[in-house]
Every structure is written in structure tokens, then in C-alpha cells.
Amino acid sequence: MDRVTRRAFTVAALSTLAAAGDATAARGRPGPVAGTTPRPRPAGGTAHRPAAGGAPDPRPLTGARGGRAVTEMRGMWLATVANHDFPSRTGLSAARQRRELTALLDAAVRHRLNTVILQVRPTADALWPSPHEPWSEYLTGTQGRDPGWDPLGTAVREAHARGLQLHAWFNPYRIALHADPARLAASHPARRHPDWVVRHGGKLYYDPGLPEVRAFVQRAMLDAVERYPVDGVHFDDYFYPYPVAGQSFDDDVSYDRHGGGFPSRAAWRRDNVDRLVRETAAGVRRVRPGTRFGISPFGVWRNASTDPRGSDTRAGVQTYDDLYADTRTWVRKGWIDYVVPQLYWSIGFAAADYATLVDWWARVARGSRTRLYVGEALYKAGDAAQGAAWRNPGELSRHLTLAGARPEVRGHVYFSAGQVASDPAGALARVVADHYRRPAHAPR
């Protein structure tokens, strides 16, 4: 789990859950997903997903016990950062990379999923021929080198052919998992604009406090939305970076230039992230109407001990205070079409109980236009290091049973595609047997 995927930084976040909490919570899903996560949604969406044999299932979509058609999110994150799920390593031939990608799409179909969230911009780079940023190093091993094929274009086409939706997952501000600008491609925008860059925690980030940065990252991301009929645009939990002990994010210059009129630096930072969210939502609507915009935040907005509106949790990281991401407001005001909080804890976990957090998010989503799906830690299933609850292959199925009693919960997304394909503990097979006996329409 030391590869950085979306949950790699969540590891740090979870490791600070109440000191008395279960140490197993310290391992967040590998950070793509929080750190990695985009998966483009397929165009189309009315076709049934192919059955296990590859042909579309001609039967009407019904629930496990028959009856009217079911519409629910059944998704998986497909992380590319640090080669977490795809490609399995750098330097593979274009044909081998295509085979690996389509095999993961086939795994989604086999497990009766209907949505793939593909990480297409893991580190200020691209899995498509972008005019703004270099090709991702995770394809060839060299940033900027043409891999000889178009992964995003292929993913959209192949997902849709299988009846899957494809959501494109972007990380807005992370530039590199190292702190040396000289290692970036010579044409990289961060090398042309060193004043945009902040070193923090051994990594490079764009400064979210600069309006020119915000405009650039949106332009880079929306290029993919304009080129391809993706079904969704997706952010994970990385906005301002997760805290690093003994370090502060050095945005003094941008704060001095743009922070006037705000009561605190924290309020200014939250406004910067709010602007990114609102502007991206507007850009998606303008460029490709009907494409949905969703975000997968760390599961705790604020603890109730900090804010009475918060959850009855003891998390060491709170998105509002530490990542400057006011996720509750985004849902309540309907700025985003869907939210997928990463609830990577077991039922009954003292510091952050899955049941407590499902109830909290259901209350937040109630009455809003934002649909609620739940992010599930498939990667923890069967891992003895994660604690007794996760050794039970039925833990994830229990999550779906519990969440199913809350009408606000419209589905689940699993981290990540590699575990969907291998299902080493049989936990996803149990979910399919208990809850996914028939296919379901993907939300639109």
C-alpha cells in the first residue's frame, strides 16, 4: 500500500483518527483514489450492461426479487497514479495496455457494476492527447512520451460498448509525487510558470490561491470533456493537500495578493476551493450538457466536537478545516450532481463508525439535488491488518444492507478496480450474491 493512490494520503488522514482508535483505520485506500481517481463515464447509457459472456443482457432490469427496474450507482474507481490499477507497469506496448484496460472493464461487467471512474489526470498530466499538459509518465515511464494510443478515447468507446458509464477522474492541483521540477517534462506548464508551484510534503502542487492556476486547470480538464462523450466528471478528496506534521503550505505570496477581505487564511482557502467547484460545474454544463459532476471527499466533514452540525466521530482530519473543502455546503447548495464520501471504516469502528457516517451523509443529502453514493473500501476486505471486522468477507455486504435502509443512498462505488477484478477475499462476490442479482441502470 505504499504506492500513492487516492487513498495514499487518506492513510495519513486516517492515521490521525483519535489516538485511542483502531490502528487499522490508519490505512486509507491507496491514494488514487484519493490521489488518483478519474474515470470517464460512457456516453449513451440506456443500453443494458453486457452479461458475463459479453453480450448485452436482453432481460428487463429488475431488482433482486423482481419488480420494477432498478436505477442505482454500482461503480468502481480505476486508478492510474503510480500504476495502481492500470497500466500494471510502465513501458508496456499499446496492445498490452489496451488488453489490461478492457480486462478491467470486463471485470466490472462480470460483477454487475455499471460505472467506471477512470483517473485520467493523476498528476497534472494526461491520458489523452492534451494540448495543455504532457502525456502521463505512468503510461511509458517518461512524462510527455506518446504511448501510441489514446487511453481515454479507448476507455469511453469500450465502456459504452459494454453498457458501462465512464466518468473522467481528475486531480486538480497535484503536479508530482516528488519535489523536483527538473524531473518534469521540459514543456510542462509548471516549468514555464514556477510561480504557480508550491513544494509541500516532498511533492509539488499548483497553488489553488492563484486565479490563473484555477483558470488553467479547468481549461486542461475541460479539454477532455469537450473531446470525449464522458458521462461524468469526477474529483476525489485532494484540494489543498493533506496536513504534514511540522509543515505549512506556503501560499504567503498568493494570500498577500488575493486574500484581502477575508477574515482568515482558512476562509480564503475555502473560498478558493468553492470557486473551483462552482466554476468546474458551470464549465461541464457549458461544454457537455447532461454530463454529471461529482466529488468523492474524505468521509468526515467536521466532528461534532468541532461543529454541532458535524458527525459523531473523532477523526484527526476534517475536510472543512484541513483540506479547506466545505463538502457539506456543496451538497446542501446543489453545486455538484453527486457526492461519494469515502466511508472506509467498518460498522462499529469507534472513531468513525460506518453506520454513523452513512446516517450523517443521508441527513445532509436529504432535500438537496445532490445524489448520495457511498465510497466502499473493497481493498480492506480480507486484510488481517485492517482489524477483525474486515476479516469477515461479509462486511461489505453488511454495509449495503445498512445503507439500503436509507432512501438517500443511491448506490456504492468500490476502491478499486484491481480488487474488483481479483476479489481475493470473495467480498465482492458476496455483495453480488446478496444485492446485485440482476443488473441495474446507471444513474443519469
Side-chain angles (χ1 to χ4, degrees), residues 98-111:
R98 282 193 195 94
R99 288 196 297 272
E100 289 190 353
L101 176 61
T102 56
L104 291 171
L105 300 180
D106 289 338
V109 172
R110 284 198 307 275
H111 290 92

Side-chain angles (χ1 to χ4, degrees), residues 3 22 79 106 175 225 254-255 264 275-276 285 324 393 402 439:
R3 285 184 297 178
D22 187 334
D106 289 338
I175 297 173
V225 182
S254 55
Y255 180 53
S264 66
R275 286 174 184 266
L276 173 73
R285 288 194 298 269
Y324 307 98
L402 185 151

